[in-house]
Amino acid sequence: MIQVDISREIKRYNGLEELSFKADIASAAITQISGPSGSGKTTLLRIIAGLVKPGRGLIIADGLTWLDTENNINLPTQLRNVGFVFQDYALFPNMTVEQHLNYGIKDADFVERLLALGRMESFRNQKPLHLSGGQQQRLSILRALSTNPRLILMDEPFSALDRKLKDELIPELKAFFTEMKTTCLIVSHHPLELEGIASQVLEL
């Protein structure tokens, strides 16, 4: 279980607003984070990943304290074993698809499995510039998986995928997460996108 209790001021169109979030997130399960635009969903993921520090906060993952602002504890991102799928993909322009995955793990069989999962085998030697938006998004997901993280945070990870591919990929990802015992938090604006997939839905 991941215990999260954080607060931070965030900028909104009408000024500053307090983001407060408190929840117990199930381990080895998919949790959907929903809420209106500007409610702080991306900021919440970045706080959990250790990329942003809240004004006040406590995060305990499976008994290990990642963040405790009262006691000045803030575990670095690299020690949290977190994979992050960014909304803007954040890919390396000079690296091929296969190089992105090899950067995370030196296991040829696992890389091949990821390429097959994302339907990216035929694009292994392509760089991001030559990929469509949907292909870049799939690469972003696969790269986040390549380190076999304990927790994966996904910010609108299916927004650029067509319906057919989305319907195929999401159940396969769920099976992958179940096998790997990965905890997954997915931010989605579409409440029905993860219907039957997410075991928990949290609203901001």
Side-chain angles (χ1 to χ4, degrees):
M1 181 174 66
I2 302 176
Q3 300 166 266
V4 181
D5 183 3
I6 61 95
S7 63
R8 176 186 166 89
E9 284 191 338
I10 57 174
K11 289 182 179 180
R12 297 202 62 180
Y13 64 91
N14 56 349
L16 292 176
E17 188 170 305
E18 186 81 1
L19 163 64
S20 294
F21 181 85
K22 183 176 182 179
D24 291 337
I25 298 167
S27 295
I30 296 175
T31 295
Q32 179 176 340
I33 307 291
S34 297
S37 180
S39 60
K41 299 184 296 299
T42 296
T43 299
L44 172 63
L45 292 190
R46 288 177 174 271
I47 289 172
I48 293 172
L51 300 173
V52 171
K53 187 175 180 181
R56 176 200 61 78
L58 179 69
I59 302 175
I60 302 174
D62 297 326
L64 177 64
T65 300
W66 286 2
L67 174 74
D68 183 347
T69 52
E70 284 191 7
N71 293 298
N72 200 30
I73 297 171
N74 188 13
L75 206 63
T77 300
Q78 60 268 27
L79 296 182
R80 298 189 188 196
N81 193 13
V82 172
F84 204 119
V85 179
F86 294 90
Q87 204 167 358
D88 62 358
Y89 314 144
L91 300 172
F92 303 118
N94 295 321
M95 292 174 63
T96 66
V97 167
E98 193 166 5
Q99 286 170 338
H100 274 86
L101 304 186
N102 284 322
Y103 188 79
I105 191 169
K106 305 301 181 186
D107 182 334
D109 290 339
F110 191 65
V111 167
E112 289 301 321
R113 183 178 179 188
L114 292 177
L115 289 169
L117 176 67
R119 281 72 165 167
M120 296 292 288
E121 302 103 311
S122 60
F123 303 102
R124 65 174 68 236
N125 295 317
Q126 298 294 324
K127 294 180 179 179
L129 178 64
H130 303 292
L131 300 175
S132 69
Q135 290 161 354
Q136 290 184 40
Q137 191 164 56
R138 279 180 277 157
L139 174 56
S140 179
I141 293 170
L142 300 180
R143 181 184 61 179
L145 295 175
S146 67
T147 59
N148 195 12
R150 169 170 46 174
L151 170 66
I152 185 164
L153 308 170
M154 308 176 82
D155 195 357
E156 295 289 348
F158 311 119
S159 59
L161 304 185
D162 63 54
R163 183 57 186 264
K164 181 178 183 296
L165 185 54
K166 191 185 300 185
D167 288 346
E168 293 173 353
L169 182 60
I170 290 176
E172 291 182 16
L173 281 173
K174 182 184 181 183
F176 184 91
F177 295 148
T178 299
E179 178 188 345
M180 298 295 178
K181 296 181 172 59
T182 305
T183 303
C184 181
L185 271 65
I186 301 179
V187 162
S188 176
H189 282 107
H190 306 288
L192 300 180
E193 188 170 64
L194 301 175
E195 190 175 27
I197 302 296
S199 59
Q200 185 179 23
V201 179
L202 301 175
E203 293 281 344
L204 282 184

